[in-house]
Amino acid sequence: MNTQQLTRHALAMRLQLQHDNDRLRDALQIIAEIAATSSDPKSMPNIGRIARAALVGATPANPTLARETT
């Protein structure tokens, strides 16, 4: 791998991590809102579903760039 390929790979990884962090932050915000506003014990399964969905790998922020680095 040359320097340009390494740079593109690092950029793709950085963009993917930033994208994942944004998704996780949004999920945590939703979970916090549910926990703060709901006293219904049935809200726990919803929190679990949101957490699981947030942890599942998402599509890359820029699929073209990620595909070029593999």
Side-chain angles (χ1 to χ4, degrees):
M1 241 188 223
N2 64 28
T3 304
Q4 184 178 14
Q5 289 172 322
L6 286 173
T7 302
R8 289 182 63 79
H9 185 68
L11 177 60
M13 287 176 41
R14 181 179 182 275
L15 289 173
Q16 181 63 40
L17 289 173
Q18 182 179 2
H19 179 67
D20 287 345
N21 284 340
D22 290 342
R23 283 184 329 98
L24 291 170
R25 214 173 274 118
D26 289 344
L28 286 174
Q29 183 178 6
I30 292 169
I31 290 170
E33 288 173 10
I34 291 171
T37 60
S38 177
S39 61
D40 184 9
K42 293 181 183 178
S43 63
M44 288 304 290
N46 291 334
I47 290 174
R49 279 191 287 277
I50 293 167
R52 276 190 301 279
L55 292 174
V56 171
T59 345
N62 183 347
T64 306
L65 184 58
R67 206 175 13 247
E68 291 175 2
T69 60
T70 57

